[in-house]
């Protein structure tokens, strides 16, 4: 049986998981239908198609070989049964309420770490599917590809594969080894210097760090989810009027929503500037699907204490430009890159400590998940809404994931249910902030 060793960052995600802080991604898709049996039919389709997707048959097993002591690898599960992963639930009138309870349950680590939960709607005109993928099995892009494997086929443009240089003989490489040594040494020293630079930036960023009380919590292990849908045309109107990128506007919306939410619940926004982690993909375009997570990140302070909505957008825009100028390989936001410099056993022993340290590094996760522009279907039923759901780090109360799909922006909100019982109020604040920005742009 062949195996695929986990990349360092995947191994970190696998080892920092706990029962109260499962490290799986999620996506809640809502499909339109005109048949009350469409949900049951969708569950049958998902189970039948899953067996034909190789990535869904991969489990994660510990490895203890001398060169990978303490590591883990993906391997095909010889006992794979899709019925262990696809589940049909009773009809519900609140997809997010059920999704929250399902997101708080860790995946079975003895099986391929993914699940698909089909939720028929009581209205008879919709059903939802909640996909869960462990972060060690897939990042957002790969999770999308795995999910696409069980949806209805779509015609995607095919890029020609890159030419791969044939392997050279061993003897010429041995002869060239003396000439390669200086370059290898310089590369190793450069990597070490980069790791020290990131570590120093992280240490400086945590000095004097005071976590935002409303965004931190004692772990309860409970989860609540909510979703918000915006019109992408409204976002573009703000962008064209005030400047910046679409992503800048979407992050500024989060800052304004936090301000509104904190003031409404009585916590107050004065002096509040929570630290947001903005993950950045390090995948190179047009490469053959690299295995493992390839992530870095930007770190910015959300201007929650700024009363002017356009001022908040300007602050976010300036911070993002500064991050982009520095690049995703430098600064405290690039701390994920340190995973490459930690041996496998270090990840196994230090994973729980790394997870607990997240609260010292950032207050809230705000991540973007790419989606195709083409319409997706399951059993012929159109995917109308899709809410990405991010994992919640230990000690943190709220995580936000954003996707744009067919002219609309979907905010997927995940919160600790005990720390944020009013997540729906925050969801309303997101919608209200867009209206505030539009009014500021068109006085």
């Amino acid at each position: 049986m062949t195996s695929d060793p986990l990349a360092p960052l995947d191994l970190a995600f696998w080892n920092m998981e706990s029962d109260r802080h499962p490290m799986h991604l999620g996506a809640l898709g809502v499909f339109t239908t005109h048949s009350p049996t469409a949900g049951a039919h969708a569950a049958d389709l998902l189970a039948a198609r899953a067996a034909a997707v190789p990535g869904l048959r991969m489990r994660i097993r510990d490895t203890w070989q001398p060169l990978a002591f303490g590591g883990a690898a993906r391997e095909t599960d010889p006992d794979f049964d899709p019925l262990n992963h696809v589940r049909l639930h009773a009809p519900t009138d609140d997809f997010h309420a059920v999704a929250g309870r399902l997101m708080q349950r860790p995946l079975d680590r003895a099986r391929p770490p993914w699940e698909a939960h089909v939720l028929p709607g009581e209205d008879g005109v919709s059903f939802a599917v909640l996909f869960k993928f462990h972060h060690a099995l897939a990042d957002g892009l790969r999770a999308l590809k795995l999910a696409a494997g069980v949806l209805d086929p779509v015609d995607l443009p095919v890029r020609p594969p890159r030419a791969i240089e044939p392997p050279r003989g061993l003897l010429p490489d041995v002869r060239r080894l003396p000439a390669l040594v200086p370059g290898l040494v310089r590369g190793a020293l450069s990597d070490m210097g980069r790791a020290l630079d990131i570590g120093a930036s992280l240490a400086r960023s945590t000095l004097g760090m005071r976590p935002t009380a409303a965004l931190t919590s004692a772990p309860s292990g409970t989860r609540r989810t909510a979703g918000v849908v915006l019109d992408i045309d409204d976002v573009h109107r703000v962008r064209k009027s005030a400047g910046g990128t679409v992503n800048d506007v979407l992050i500024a919306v989060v800052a304004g929503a936090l301000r509104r939410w904190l003031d409404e619940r009585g916590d107050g926004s004065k002096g509040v500037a929570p630290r947001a982690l903005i993950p950045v993909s390090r995948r190179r375009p047009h490469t053959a699907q690299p295995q493992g997570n390839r992530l870095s990140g930007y770190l910015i302070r959300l201007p929650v204490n700024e009363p002017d909505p356009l001022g908040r957008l300007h602050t976010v825009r300036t911070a993002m430009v500064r991050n982009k100028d520095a690049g995703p390989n430098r600064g405290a936001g690039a701390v994920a890159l340190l995973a490459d410099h930690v041996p496998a056993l270090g990840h196994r022993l230090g994973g729980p400590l790394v997870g607990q340290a997240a609260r010292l590094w950032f207050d809230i996760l705000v991540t973007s998940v790419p989606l195709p522009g083409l319409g997706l279907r399951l059993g012929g039923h159109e995917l109308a809404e899709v809410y990405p759901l991010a994992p919640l780090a230990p000690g943190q109360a709220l995580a936000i994931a954003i996707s744009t799909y067919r002219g609309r922006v979907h905010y997927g909100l995940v919160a600790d249910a005990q720390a944020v019982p009013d997540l729906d109020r925050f969801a309303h604040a997101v919608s209200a902030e867009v209206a505030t920005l539009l009014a500021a742009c068109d006085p």
Side-chain angles (χ1 to χ4, degrees):
M1 180 183 300
T2 60
S3 63
D4 171 32
L6 293 190
L9 189 53
D10 296 337
L11 190 59
F13 287 135
W14 187 246
N15 284 299
M16 70 173 61
E17 180 173 63
S18 68
D19 288 343
R20 291 193 172 190
H21 289 93
M23 291 302 299
H24 53 251
L25 312 169
L28 180 66
V30 179
F31 297 81
T32 56
T33 180
H34 299 289
S35 169
T37 62
H41 177 57
D44 291 339
L45 280 177
L46 292 172
R49 293 171 177 175
V53 180
L56 297 179
R57 304 176 65 95
M58 303 297 285
R59 64 183 180 183
I60 296 176
R61 309 292 275 179
D62 294 335
T63 57
W64 298 102
Q65 290 84 0
L67 295 180
F69 192 77
R74 302 180 191 87
E75 64 179 26
T76 301
D77 184 357
D79 300 318
F80 175 73
D81 183 348
L83 296 181
N84 291 327
H85 302 266
V86 179
R87 291 146 196 190
L88 177 64
H89 295 258
T92 177
D93 61 354
D94 191 338
F95 295 138
H96 278 288
V98 179
R101 293 192 293 270
L102 293 172
M103 282 294 289
Q104 72 190 31
R105 300 179 188 174
L107 294 164
D108 187 343
R109 291 167 69 96
R111 292 173 174 159
W114 69 275
E115 292 174 352
H117 297 269
V118 181
L119 315 175
E122 284 187 350
D123 55 13
V125 297
S126 64
F127 67 90
V129 179
L130 173 66
F131 287 103
K132 294 168 56 177
F133 296 98
H134 199 287
H135 218 328
L137 179 70
D139 61 5
L141 182 59
R142 184 165 173 77
L144 172 63
K145 292 178 179 178
L146 291 175
V150 292
L151 298 178
D152 293 354
V154 293
D155 295 326
L156 296 174
V158 179
R159 295 190 183 99
R162 295 184 66 190
I164 300 176
E165 183 180 351
R168 294 170 292 182
L170 177 62
L171 185 58
D173 284 344
V174 171
R175 289 174 176 171
R176 294 178 60 242
L177 187 57
L180 294 174
V181 167
L184 295 174
V185 171
R186 284 195 300 271
L189 292 175
S190 176
D191 288 346
M192 184 182 300
R194 186 180 302 114
L196 291 173
D197 177 63
I198 295 169
S201 297
L202 177 60
R204 288 193 299 269
S205 72
T206 57
L207 290 175
M209 172 71 175
R210 290 191 306 164
T212 302
L215 300 178
T216 58
S217 68
S220 71
T222 59
R223 294 291 181 272
R224 185 185 302 272
T225 75
V228 184
V229 182
L230 309 179
D231 191 325
I232 190 61
D233 289 340
D234 289 340
V235 177
H236 282 301
R237 284 172 57 193
V238 174
R239 177 188 62 81
K240 291 176 181 178
S241 174
T245 67
V246 166
N247 201 42
D248 293 341
V249 176
L250 297 179
I251 295 172
V253 166
V254 172
L258 285 171
R259 177 183 176 84
R260 184 183 303 269
W261 176 62
L262 290 173
D263 287 342
E264 287 179 353
R265 72 193 324 237
D267 291 332
S269 59
K270 184 177 181 180
V272 175
R275 189 164 306 186
L277 175 64
I278 316 293
V280 177
S281 175
R282 295 173 57 239
R283 291 181 184 272
R284 294 181 179 179
H286 311 310
T287 55
Q289 302 180 11
Q291 293 294 319
N293 281 278
R294 302 288 295 170
L295 293 173
S296 180
Y298 296 145
L299 206 60
I300 71 170
R301 285 194 177 275
L302 297 178
V304 173
N305 57 342
E306 168 59 59
D308 177 25
L310 296 182
R312 290 192 291 270
L313 176 54
H314 175 74
T315 300
V316 168
R317 179 184 178 186
T318 301
M320 289 299 288
V321 168
R322 186 167 54 247
N323 273 292
K324 291 172 185 176
D325 287 344
N329 295 329
R330 297 183 63 86
V335 69
L337 303 184
L338 294 179
D340 293 339
H341 303 276
V342 177
L345 187 59
H347 284 296
R348 182 172 297 276
L349 298 177
L353 295 177
V354 171
Q356 293 297 329
R359 71 181 73 187
L360 300 177
W361 173 31
F362 63 96
D363 292 299
I364 187 171
L365 177 74
V366 183
T367 183
S368 295
V369 181
L371 288 177
L374 299 174
L376 300 175
R377 294 176 177 270
L378 177 58
H381 305 289
E382 182 180 1
L383 176 63
E385 303 169 22
V386 56
Y387 302 96
L389 303 172
L392 203 58
Q396 297 182 339
L398 178 64
I400 299 173
I402 309 169
S403 283
T404 300
Y405 175 69
R406 306 204 75 184
R408 299 199 296 175
V409 179
H410 294 77
Y411 280 76
L413 313 177
V414 178
D416 184 290
Q418 292 187 15
V420 188
D422 56 344
L423 185 61
D424 289 341
R425 179 183 291 181
F426 178 75
H428 289 308
V430 171
S431 298
E433 180 61 17
V434 176
T436 298
L437 278 168
L438 286 170
C441 291
D442 302 312

